[in-house]
Amino acid sequence: MTVDRQRVERLTRELLEAIGEDPDRPGLKQTPSRMAELYSEFFSGVGEDPAEPLARTISVSRGPAPDTLPSGAVLLRDIRFRSVCEHHLLPFAGHAHIAYLPGEQVVGLGALVRVVEILAARPQVQERLGEQIADTIAEHLDTRGVLVVLDASHGCVTMRGGRQTEASTLTIAARGEYTDAVARAELITLIGASVPLGAAGR
């Protein structure tokens, strides 16, 4: 899906007028076009298939030890992401940490980053974003377990209401073997996050 830039520009002008501003004054004259460009970037994931980056896998049975499956998780830490909260259309941003326990197939690490980027580039809530990342990986990779930890700061918390500028939100989504808190304890330690080990998974 392509963002309708002309419509975004038109609606931005209306919004500026609605708050009592003059969209034609020098400081705001380019704002509608800038907003159209911004929204095209922020919401580029709407309608995009997050599973597509996972289509190309690598067989671990073709390496130097063809009879050996990975015995531990593949863990990718500190994936920077940003999204837009669907409640107030304010940004939230932070880090994603993804672990999966491979079967006979693994995927390039950049593919995991793309899954996060695609799903984050649409109106979101953090809780759902983590679940969607976990579901995409669990359903489209040969994996025995998936763990997704998101740690993010939300504009709706830091810039409005109580304005808790230091607050961040931590969420966990788990699939397969990592729905067991004991099984994921080592990964939580490696991630370095203060995550309650009893947090729910599915």
Side-chain angles (χ1 to χ4, degrees):
M1 177 180 176
T2 303
V3 171
D4 186 339
R5 292 192 175 208
Q6 289 185 337
R7 191 174 183 187
V8 172
E9 288 189 33
R10 184 170 68 252
L11 292 173
T12 301
R13 284 186 60 87
E14 289 184 20
L15 177 62
L16 290 170
E17 290 171 350
I19 65 171
E21 265 289 1
D22 174 12
D24 291 316
R25 72 174 174 84
L28 292 175
K29 197 166 186 179
Q30 300 302 318
T31 297
S33 62
R34 292 188 183 111
M35 286 295 293
E37 183 177 352
L38 177 71
Y39 273 32
S40 294
E41 179 183 343
F42 271 24
F43 301 121
S44 62
V46 176
E48 190 171 352
D49 181 7
E52 192 277 331
L54 303 176
R56 294 183 179 180
T57 58
I58 305 163
S59 174
V60 294
S61 63
R62 296 178 184 171
D67 297 326
T68 304
L69 290 179
S71 60
V74 175
L75 172 59
L76 184 58
R77 300 188 304 178
D78 297 321
I79 304 168
R80 291 193 61 84
F81 77 92
R82 58 108 178 94
S83 189
V84 175
C85 175
E86 64 185 32
H87 297 152
H88 298 96
L89 294 184
L90 286 173
F92 66 96
H95 292 88
H97 314 282
I98 299 175
Y100 75 98
L101 191 57
E104 294 186 359
Q105 301 286 325
V106 294
V107 72
L109 298 177
L112 299 176
V113 175
R114 281 296 297 144
V115 170
V116 175
E117 290 175 340
I118 291 170
L119 289 168
R122 52 184 70 174
Q124 276 288 10
V125 293
Q126 182 175 331
E127 298 87 341
R128 183 177 65 222
L129 175 59
E131 298 293 334
Q132 289 177 341
I133 294 168
D135 281 339
T136 301
I137 296 169
E139 292 169 10
H140 298 278
L141 275 187
D142 177 18
T143 177
R144 293 167 282 158
V146 179
L147 179 68
V148 177
V149 178
L150 303 182
D151 187 359
S153 177
H154 291 248
C156 57
V157 175
T158 62
M159 295 189 294
R160 63 177 299 277
R163 295 178 184 159
Q164 298 296 316
T165 57
E166 302 301 318
S168 66
T169 300
L170 200 67
T171 56
I172 303 173
R175 303 291 183 269
E177 293 188 17
Y178 292 134
T179 58
D180 177 58
V182 175
R184 66 176 179 256
E186 180 184 15
L187 292 174
I188 296 297
T189 300
L190 290 172
I191 289 169
S194 301
V195 180
L197 294 182
R202 185 169 77 200

